[in-house]
Amino acid sequence: MEAAVAPGRGAPAPAASKPSGCGKHNSPERKVYMDYNATTPLEPEVIQAMTEAMWEAWGNPSSPYSAGRKAKDIINAARESLAKMIAGKPQDIIFTSGGTESNNLVIHSVVKHFHANQTSKGHTGGHHSPVKGAKPHFITSSVEHDSIRLPLEHLVEEQVADQPLFFLLLLSLLNVKMMKMKTFMMICFHLINKVTFVPVSKVSGQAAVDDILAAVRPTTRLVTIMLANNETGIVMPVPEISQRVKALNQERVAAGLPPILVHTDAAQALGKQRVDVEDLGVDFLTIVGHKFYGPRIGALYVRGLGEFTPLYPMLFGGGQERNFRPGTENTPMIAGLGKAAELVTQNCEAYEAHMRDVRDYLEERLEAEFGQKRIHLNSQFPGTQRLPNTCNFSIRGPRLQGRVVLAQCRVLIASVGAACHSDHGDQPSPVLLSYGVPFDVARNALRLSVGRSTTRAEVDLVVQDLKQAVAQLEDQA
């Protein structure tokens, strides 16, 4: 598939290609980019902020001279902009290299905090360890990004995450006659699995709050559920999860158990809908700049950083970011991230309304051109909120695998799913299979994600391009 850059509004297009917003509609070089969930172009204002920082704030932010002080001022201003975007506090923001680091930092910190408590004679802050020698237990969903799933699977392989407790399993066996078989099987499942991957509901598309709470053990330390899925756009019930965990924590504290922390990866939601950490009620929130027209760095929100919520560094060095993330700060990138956050704060409602209008029009046009029986909208679940820009669909047909259709397209630039799964070949997305999408339908899936500058006219071009691609493939049969 041909690569192309989709410039921000008002930015000049590269001479080598004419992606969305440039050129005549009948130009063979014209491309329409619809993969904004994978990455977004830099807004012109973001480029300007980064360029000015390179020229004027090249000094080390820890230095006392003017170029260093300028850099420090830019970093502090960006921290305030990020905090404002999520309705948090600037002192609770830590800059990172991106979402993967932020997610790994959360998991790393929870493991370190658990073992620090274990070695301090089994308790900390008055909360006693449930079982001597136990390991921390994590709860997540079956549709998380790889930067959550893989670190947790690694912990299991390294036997750092919670192991089954044999005596509890034996106790369950002794009492099995008093249980319903389903209840017994659930207990065995939770004891055998060190990290619990809660399946998403095939009715709502969400990780059910009751299922998450049912997976809790005495050793549970973290619930991490993405705010919105990157392939389907389904928004998870994070506020309700946080409320239920908070209520459960009161019982745990009374029983002498440490509270459970809640983390959400907000990479896909930021810039597409309002994100408020107070409404969400989370302890950690991951921020990814290149998903909302910023540079490829990120940040991590930690509620009451170092006071109410623990954070342990993975790196050690010069003490930057209050020792939580040392290393000389990348001032230009941070300046760009701050400007991108500022634009989201100012324009989020307008961005959301525009993207929803264009996405809905896209789905209407697909059904009109191909017929409702032939188009399967993989991310529509009645009553479930989804991101305003995401359309995951399949065109039914034996020769219409998503990758094959995209390879035949001349205008559309999109993907079959998450960019990190681009090496899966013709295998259907595990995420779509988790949602209950049939194998043959999931294999034909395309993920089209529109952006701030996508137009209805471009939707028309894309739908015609898809029609021509499908016709050519079926003629070859």
Side-chain angles (χ1 to χ4, degrees), residues 252-281:
R252 288 173 65 91
V253 170
L257 296 175
I260 299 169
L261 298 170
V262 179
H263 164 249
T264 190
D265 181 348
Q268 288 297 337
L270 287 165
K272 300 166 188 169
Q273 66 176 39
R274 189 176 69 91
V275 174
D276 186 320
V277 292
E278 294 305 319
D279 290 345
L280 294 173

Side-chain angles (χ1 to χ4, degrees), residues 406-418:
L406 280 180
Q408 198 72 32
C409 287
R410 301 184 63 187
V411 172
L412 173 63
I413 298 177
S415 66
V416 298

Side-chain angles (χ1 to χ4, degrees), residues 189-451:
F189 176 81
H190 292 319
L191 290 174
I192 293 170
N193 285 274
K194 308 162 189 177
V195 175
T196 302
F197 291 88
V198 174
V200 291
S201 166
K202 293 176 174 57
V203 176
S204 68
Q206 299 173 319
V209 180
D210 286 343
D211 290 345
I212 291 170
L213 270 291
V216 170
R217 307 179 192 172
T219 53
T220 302
R221 288 297 177 270
L222 181 71
V223 172
T224 173
I225 303 292
M226 62 181 14
L227 187 49
N229 185 263
N230 48 312
E231 293 192 35
T232 63
I234 295 296
V235 177
M236 297 293 184
V238 174
E240 186 180 353
I241 293 170
S242 297
Q243 291 171 6
R244 295 280 298 277
V245 169
K246 184 177 181 180
L248 178 62
N249 280 340
Q250 294 178 349
E251 300 175 13
R252 288 173 65 91
V253 170
L257 296 175
I260 299 169
L261 298 170
V262 179
H263 164 249
T264 190
D265 181 348
Q268 288 297 337
L270 287 165
K272 300 166 188 169
Q273 66 176 39
R274 189 176 69 91
V275 174
D276 186 320
V277 292
E278 294 305 319
D279 290 345
L280 294 173
V282 294
D283 301 292
F284 302 98
L285 182 140
T286 293
I287 299 169
V288 182
H290 75 99
K291 303 295 187 180
F292 55 96
Y293 292 73
R296 288 177 183 166
I297 64 166
L300 178 66
Y301 163 83
V302 186
R303 182 183 299 275
L305 175 59
E307 182 179 359
F308 301 114
T309 307
L311 193 70
Y312 288 75
M314 292 192 295
L315 305 173
F316 298 89
Q320 292 84 356
E321 293 297 284
R322 290 163 286 168
N323 282 314
F324 292 114
R325 208 284 184 178
T328 303
E329 300 92 336
N330 191 336
T331 307
M333 288 288 194
I334 292 174
L337 185 62
K339 176 56 70 172
E342 183 182 325
L343 293 173
V344 168
T345 301
Q346 294 171 353
N347 305 301
C348 189
E349 289 77 11
Y351 295 155
E352 181 178 1
H354 172 77
M355 287 186 285
R356 177 172 285 108
D357 175 75
V358 175
R359 190 275 312 277
D360 290 350
Y361 179 69
L362 168 63
E363 292 181 347
E364 292 170 5
R365 294 286 293 114
L366 286 170
E367 290 185 334
E369 292 294 340
F370 290 97
Q372 291 186 353
K373 292 184 178 180
R374 198 171 190 198
I375 288 289
H376 188 276
L377 297 174
N378 302 320
S379 54
Q380 282 194 2
F381 291 83
T384 298
Q385 181 187 358
R386 58 179 171 142
L387 294 177
N389 79 317
T390 306
C391 170
N392 194 306
F393 69 98
S394 299
I395 306 173
R396 299 178 188 270
R399 297 177 58 84
L400 303 181
Q401 289 81 15
R403 294 180 187 278
V404 176
V405 172
L406 280 180
Q408 198 72 32
C409 287
R410 301 184 63 187
V411 172
L412 173 63
I413 298 177
S415 66
V416 298
C420 54
H421 295 158
S422 59
D423 58 349
H424 281 193
D426 286 331
Q427 292 301 309
S429 162
V431 168
L432 293 184
L433 296 178
S434 296
Y435 278 108
V437 179
F439 185 95
D440 289 343
V441 177
R443 191 170 56 176
N444 288 15
L446 294 171
R447 181 190 69 178
L448 272 55
S449 46
V450 304

Side-chain angles (χ1 to χ4, degrees), residues 17-51:
S17 64
K18 295 180 180 179
S20 77
C22 304
K24 297 180 180 179
H25 285 195
N26 60 356
S27 170
E29 295 182 351
R30 178 174 172 77
K31 301 292 183 182
V32 177
Y33 181 78
M34 286 193 178
D35 203 17
Y36 288 91
N37 281 7
T39 196
T40 58
L42 296 174
E43 286 280 18
E45 297 94 327
V46 171
I47 296 174
Q48 181 179 356
M50 294 170 64
T51 302

Side-chain angles (χ1 to χ4, degrees), residues 75-240:
I75 292 169
N76 290 338
R79 201 185 310 273
E80 291 180 3
S81 294
L82 284 172
K84 189 174 182 180
M85 177 178 67
I86 61 172
K89 298 177 180 178
Q91 61 267 31
D92 291 342
I93 299 291
I94 293 294
F95 291 110
T96 67
S97 63
T100 294
E101 182 186 342
S102 294
N103 288 344
N104 276 260
L105 184 56
V106 170
I107 295 169
H108 163 84
S109 294
V110 170
V111 171
K112 292 286 287 185
H113 189 63
F114 182 91
H115 290 296
N117 293 351
Q118 290 284 83
T119 57
S120 60
K121 299 183 179 179
H123 67 87
T124 180
H127 300 303
H128 292 270
S129 174
V131 180
K132 184 177 180 180
K135 296 179 177 65
H137 172 241
F138 297 82
I139 299 172
T140 189
S141 81
S142 60
V143 296
E144 296 294 313
H145 190 270
D146 278 357
S147 58
I148 289 291
R149 180 181 63 84
L150 292 178
L152 291 177
E153 290 181 352
H154 177 73
L155 292 180
V156 171
E157 293 172 2
E158 296 296 317
Q159 297 187 354
V160 176
D162 193 15
Q163 299 257 21
L165 303 177
F166 179 76
F167 77 91
L168 288 177
L169 182 58
L170 179 61
L171 182 63
S172 297
L173 287 169
L174 292 175
N175 289 282
V176 68
K177 292 183 179 181
M178 296 180 288
M179 301 180 187
K180 293 182 179 179
M181 183 55 66
K182 181 179 179 181
T183 303
F184 173 68
M185 293 300 292
M186 285 293 291
I187 289 176
C188 290
F189 176 81
H190 292 319
L191 290 174
I192 293 170
N193 285 274
K194 308 162 189 177
V195 175
T196 302
F197 291 88
V198 174
V200 291
S201 166
K202 293 176 174 57
V203 176
S204 68
Q206 299 173 319
V209 180
D210 286 343
D211 290 345
I212 291 170
L213 270 291
V216 170
R217 307 179 192 172
T219 53
T220 302
R221 288 297 177 270
L222 181 71
V223 172
T224 173
I225 303 292
M226 62 181 14
L227 187 49
N229 185 263
N230 48 312
E231 293 192 35
T232 63
I234 295 296
V235 177
M236 297 293 184
V238 174
E240 186 180 353

